Structures are given as structure tokens and as C-alpha cells.
């Protein structure tokens, strides 16, 4: 592009970019960032052919439209498949009680010491044997056992509603995020 072409392109961008951006925003469904990308790509294409374009605004608008249609086509291929039953678990009373239980567990774990929490998480959430926990923490297996015992006792004191959970209930728990501890009397 020669100097005169560069100057006319700069004038065009300065004069018409705000109007073209409004069009791009409407085309992109109100997403300003996507609209700016759309307009920038259209202006790049226009700059490459600037000397051969008779009606620059019509050309840029046509590029905007075609690029947006291409984006729709790409999005159509990436859409999720609709199914009759959602794959997520329901939000019935069981899901609500499980969520409440997780909140209770989170609160009880937060009130343990850092060492107690670490031992319980490594033993029950990560399902590591006592020897691996001892190696990770740099202590003896006996320390892991006694810390686990004291931590579970403290957990039962802090959250007595967890004691009602039996091993079968813990296995049916949909998420082990905050309920990694088997609580037995």
C-alpha cells in the first residue's frame, strides 16, 4: 500500500470505525470483545485490498457479516448434544442433605489443626496407607496412627451429626469433596 492509500485507510478507520463497531456489537450479540475482534479482522482484510476496493464501508460490512456467519457455523459444530435426561445428579432432598453434610464437614475440618487436617486428608481422601503418610509428613507410623485417632475423635465432637453416617451411607455420598472421613463409634 502506498502513502496515499495508507492515509485514506487511516481516515476511513478514524471516521467510520465507531459506526462499524456498533454493527459488530450487534452482530456478536452484545459481546464487545468479540465485536472488536470481528471488526479488527475485517479491517485487516480491507487493508490488504485497500487499493482495489471501490466502496470501503460496504466491503468492510460484508466482511463483518461473512465472518460472523462463519463463527455461527463453528459454534454450531461445537454445541452440546441435547438429551432427554441431564447427566447431572438431581437436586432432590438427598442432594440437599448431601450438600448440608459437606458444609458441616467443611466447617468441622476447618476447626481442626493443620496437622490433623493433613493426616485425615492424606489417609481418607487421598486413600494413602499409614506408611506413605508418615513418609510424606516426615514422622513415624505411630504418630500418624495417634494423630488420626485424635483427629477423628475431635471431628466426632465438633460434628456429632457425622457419627450417624454409617459406612454404607459414606459410600453413597455423591462427592467426596468434604466428606473423606469414615466416622465410626
Amino acid at each position: 500500500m502506498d502513502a496515499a492509500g495508507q492515509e485514506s485507510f487511516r481516515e476511513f478507520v478514524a471516521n467510520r470505525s465507531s459506526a462499524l463497531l456498533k454493527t459488530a456489537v450487534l452482530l456478536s450479540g452484545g459481546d464487545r470483545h468479540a465485536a472488536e475482534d470481528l471488526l479488527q479482522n475485517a479491517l485487516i482484510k480491507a487493508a490488504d485490498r485497500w487499493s482495489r476496493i471501490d466502496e470501503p464501508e460496504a466491503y468492510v460490512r460484508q466482511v463483518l457479516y461473512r465472518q460472523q456467519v462463519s463463527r455461527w457455523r463453528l459454534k454450531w459444530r461445537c454445541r452440546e448434544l441435547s438429551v432427554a435426561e441431564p447427566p447431572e445428579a438431581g437436586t432432590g432432598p438427598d442432594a440437599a442433605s448431601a450438600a448440608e453434610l459437606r458444609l458441616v464437614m467443611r466447617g468441622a475440618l476447618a476447626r481442626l489443626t493443620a496437622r490433623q487436617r493433613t493426616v485425615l486428608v492424606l489417609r481418607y481422601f487421598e486413600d494413602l496407607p499409614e506408611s506413605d503418610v508418615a513418609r510424606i509428613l516426615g514422622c513415624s507410623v505411630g504418630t500418624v496412627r495417634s494423630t488420626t485417632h485424635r483427629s477423628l475423635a475431635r471431628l466426632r465432637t465438633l460434628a456429632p451429626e457425622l457419627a450417624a453416617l454409617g459406612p454404607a451411607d459414606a459410600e453413597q455420598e455423591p462427592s467426596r469433596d468434604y466428606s473423606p472421613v469414615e466416622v465410626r463409634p
Side-chain angles (χ1 to χ4, degrees), residues 21 28 39 65 67 77 82 102 118 135-136 138 163 183-184:
L21 182 60
S28 64
L39 179 58
Y65 303 147
Q67 284 184 339
R77 290 183 183 169
S82 298
R102 282 193 302 273
T118 304
R135 184 181 42 78
I136 290 169
V183 180
R184 293 185 181 154

Side-chain angles (χ1 to χ4, degrees), residues 6-7 32 64 112 114 124 133 176:
Q6 286 180 354
E7 186 58 34
R32 185 166 175 89
L64 285 173
L112 295 175
Y124 297 104
V133 175
R176 290 181 59 178

Side-chain angles (χ1 to χ4, degrees), residues 15-49:
N15 293 334
R16 299 304 305 155
S17 64
S18 62
L20 292 170
L21 182 60
K22 289 177 184 176
T23 302
V25 167
L26 292 173
L27 287 173
S28 64
D31 185 356
R32 185 166 175 89
H33 297 291
E36 290 171 350
D37 291 342
L38 193 65
L39 179 58
Q40 185 174 9
N41 290 336
L43 290 174
I44 289 170
K45 287 185 179 187
D48 289 342
R49 296 180 177 86

Side-chain angles (χ1 to χ4, degrees), residues 42-177:
L43 290 174
I44 289 170
K45 287 185 179 187
D48 289 342
R49 296 180 177 86
W50 190 253
S51 61
R52 297 181 299 241
I53 298 174
D54 295 332
E55 294 181 31
E57 188 165 351
Y59 180 85
V60 172
R61 287 181 185 275
Q62 187 68 35
V63 171
L64 285 173
Y65 303 147
R66 288 184 179 171
Q67 284 184 339
Q68 187 59 29
V69 168
S70 295
R71 286 184 181 188
W72 288 336
R73 288 180 182 152
L74 289 175
K75 285 182 182 178
W76 180 80
R77 290 183 183 169
C78 298
R79 283 188 187 156
E80 293 180 10
L81 178 64
S82 298
V83 293
E85 294 294 324
E88 299 88 18
T91 58
D94 292 337
S97 64
E100 183 179 328
L101 193 59
R102 282 193 302 273
L103 290 173
V104 168
M105 178 61 80
R106 180 189 299 178
L109 284 173
R111 292 171 47 196
L112 295 175
T113 66
R115 184 179 192 97
Q116 289 174 330
R117 256 193 323 273
T118 304
V119 168
L120 290 180
V121 168
L122 290 174
R123 278 290 288 131
Y124 297 104
F125 186 73
E126 295 293 329
D127 201 25
L128 295 177
E130 292 170 339
S131 58
D132 288 351
V133 175
R135 184 181 42 78
I136 290 169
L137 296 179
C139 62
S140 69
V141 173
T143 303
V144 170
R145 287 180 184 158
S146 63
T147 305
T148 302
H149 177 73
R150 284 193 310 271
S151 302
L152 289 175
R154 177 127 169 89
L155 201 59
R156 286 185 198 104
T157 303
L158 293 173
E161 56 267 42
L162 295 175
L165 267 183
D169 294 334
E171 290 173 7
Q172 292 175 358
E173 191 70 27
S175 170
R176 290 181 59 178
D177 290 35

